[in-house]
Amino acid sequence: MRLLVTGGCGFIGSNFIRMALRDDPESFICNADKLTYAGNPANLARTVKEHPGRYVFAKADIADHDTMLRLLEEHSLDGVVNFAAESHVDRSIIDPAPFIRTNVLGAQTLLAAASKHGVSRYVHVSTDEVYGSLGEKGAFSETTPLAPNSPYSASKAAADLICRAWHKTYAFPVIVTRCSNNYGPCQFPEKLIPFMYLRAMRDESLPLYGDGGNVRDWIHVEDHCRGILLALLKGRPGAVYNFGGNAERDNLAVVREILRFCGKPESLVRFVADRPGHDRRYAMEYSLAAEELGFSPSRSFEEGLGQTLRWYADNPEWVRGVTSGAYLSFIQEWYGDKV
Ligand code: NAD
Ligand code: DAU
């Protein structure tokens, strides 16, 4: 397939491009990425060299209709996977505006350009956070009502509903995927796992929000990317598919596992003021994706976590490249004297 992948220099998008180019020798990918603080061309440096003639990059904003349309036409693209988003909940609390602009207006603009061009397949990548928060029992299914609690998740829920409208109103072949918390190589170290690992290795304090008892369902990024490829190839137009990792862990348990891996003491943990609107627990019921797409997560959390932390240990230059000026300003602005 000839694909427009947006946000392909980010964490999940770059893992997806690597997998798609490797697994389908016929594929061609145009990666349109605005290169925000989270977009890093280094994530794809080796992949680009391995697949000459099958990949092009465009520094572009999904909220720019004419550029999206031009890329679709210029490269005769017939499918779209939209990863492009502002993705960090804490940043959305500091300033929701870029989240609304990219995640809502950008998502709609990209749908409009893809409709005009007339693509045959379109996957919009969304999140379990659109469902809000669970109590101690149960799991989100695709029919769980949307109840987002952060500016980030509200912007993602808005885009999911716009996708729904595009299918119902214009018979546009959009598929929405909703996944739980990803971990793996190339994740920007503002997210829990790389953030805590890098701090632990420097013997810095590890700020856990609230009582550390919030639960996330962790999935390795390659399992998520496999699910997105399956949705792209086999998904029903108009459908929503949940993906999960079968790996519910509370945050304290995740941080303890990281400390064990690093050989560092638990005294590094600091319980700090909770994230406002902090969702208590996520868990995913993904039987629809299992039945219709043949999706199932393949990697155990402990195995995947060890591989991921080793990747960070083995890539100090990548880490240095993303933890300089602007990153440190964000850490200072958000955590202040909590760390
Ligand atoms: P990320 O922040 O690592 O990457 C986002 C990418 O989008 C970056 O390369 C950035 O430069 C690009 N981008 C941002 N605004 C853009 C714009 N206006 N135009 C073009 N490019 C733009 O995010 P991620 O963790 O890789 O998440 C990718 C997608 O998956 C997002 O839509 C996110 O909501 C969704 N998702 C993430 C997770 C997770 O655990 N990380 C789970 C489920 C769903
Ligand atoms: O569930 C999918 C979502 O997972 C994606 O849609 C988002 O893009 C992605 O960022 C992620 O959101 P979370 O808010 O769950 O991820 P984060 O890594 O920011 O936090 C994971 C948990 O760890 C959450 O309960 C908050 C907690 N946490 C996080 C940080 C950064 C802390 O206790 N301390 C911290 O310093």
Side-chain angles (χ1 to χ4, degrees):
M1 193 174 282
R2 296 181 68 81
L3 284 179
L4 176 64
V5 174
T6 67
C9 292
F11 164 46
I12 307 175
S14 60
N15 278 282
F16 175 84
I17 290 174
R18 239 189 320 282
M19 181 179 284
L21 288 173
R22 186 189 64 211
D23 290 4
D24 176 5
E26 302 299 309
S27 61
F28 172 88
I29 291 177
C30 171
N31 172 15
D33 195 301
K34 187 179 169 184
L35 297 182
T36 67
Y37 76 92
N40 185 355
N43 293 349
L44 285 167
R46 184 149 13 120
T47 305
V48 172
K49 286 195 196 122
E50 284 168 357
H51 302 282
R54 295 178 50 210
Y55 170 87
V56 289
F57 174 72
K59 185 173 185 313
D61 185 339
I62 59 165
D64 175 349
H65 177 274
D66 292 353
T67 299
M68 291 301 118
L69 186 58
R70 181 178 58 73
L71 292 173
L72 287 160
E73 287 174 349
E74 197 171 295
H75 301 291
S76 307
L77 305 174
D78 54 7
V80 175
V81 184
N82 181 26
F83 291 97
E86 291 293 337
S87 69
H88 192 38
V89 172
D90 294 337
R91 288 183 192 254
S92 83
I93 295 169
I94 297 174
D95 182 8
F99 288 74
I100 306 304
R101 189 179 175 284
T102 288
N103 302 2
V104 184
L105 190 59
Q108 177 268 323
T109 306
L110 186 61
L111 281 165
S115 302
K116 184 153 190 201
H117 175 67
V119 299
S120 61
R121 309 291 290 171
Y122 190 112
V123 175
H124 175 79
V125 180
S126 188
T127 169
D128 59 359
E129 300 203 7
V130 299
Y131 298 121
S133 186
L134 289 166
E136 279 181 17
K137 291 210 170 78
F140 299 128
S141 79
E142 290 83 356
T143 55
T144 302
L146 303 191
N149 292 316
S150 70
Y152 162 71
S153 54
S155 71
K156 294 297 289 185
D160 287 14
L161 294 178
I162 294 167
C163 289
R164 177 189 158 89
W166 238 257
H167 175 67
K168 296 280 182 194
T169 305
Y170 307 118
F172 184 71
V174 57
I175 291 160
V176 173
T177 61
R178 295 183 181 140
C179 191
S180 59
N181 284 62
N182 285 220
Y183 68 97
C186 300
Q187 185 167 35
F188 193 79
E190 62 192 354
K191 308 286 165 49
L192 182 76
I193 288 176
F195 177 68
M196 295 298 184
Y197 170 70
L198 295 177
R199 289 187 68 86
M201 289 307 288
R202 294 189 298 256
D203 297 306
E204 291 169 349
S205 65
L206 309 182
L208 269 177
Y209 302 151
D211 62 2
N214 299 63
V215 173
R216 297 294 182 262
D217 171 16
W218 293 96
I219 182 172
H220 192 273
V221 65
E222 287 179 3
D223 282 329
H224 182 195
C225 291
R226 174 87 46 220
I228 292 169
L229 268 176
L230 288 167
L232 183 69
L233 299 174
K234 296 164 69 173
R236 239 180 327 111
V240 174
Y241 296 103
N242 280 358
F243 300 135
N246 277 342
E248 281 186 58
R249 302 283 185 282
D250 70 34
N251 294 334
L252 180 57
V254 172
V255 166
R256 280 192 173 134
E257 191 67 29
I258 294 171
L259 287 168
R260 203 184 54 74
F261 180 93
C262 304
K264 299 287 179 179
E266 213 165 296
S267 55
L268 288 178
V269 171
R270 299 268 183 288
F271 292 97
V272 300
D274 210 352
R275 170 190 278 177
H278 196 178
D279 290 331
R280 187 66 181 171
R281 178 174 159 258
Y282 304 144
M284 288 300 252
E285 212 270 283
Y286 57 81
S287 56
L288 186 68
E291 281 159 28
E292 295 193 4
L293 307 177
F295 166 82
S296 67
S298 66
R299 212 172 302 211
S300 82
F301 180 64
E302 282 65 27
E303 179 198 0
L305 183 67
Q307 290 165 346
T308 300
L309 301 184
R310 266 189 294 281
W311 183 87
Y312 282 91
D314 291 345
N315 287 277
E317 268 180 45
W318 184 95
V319 170
R320 252 195 308 280
V322 298
T323 50
S324 57
Y327 174 76
L328 296 176
S329 310
F330 163 71
I331 299 297
Q332 177 56 35
E333 180 178 7
W334 177 250
Y335 293 95
D337 56 12
K338 284 192 241 172
V339 293

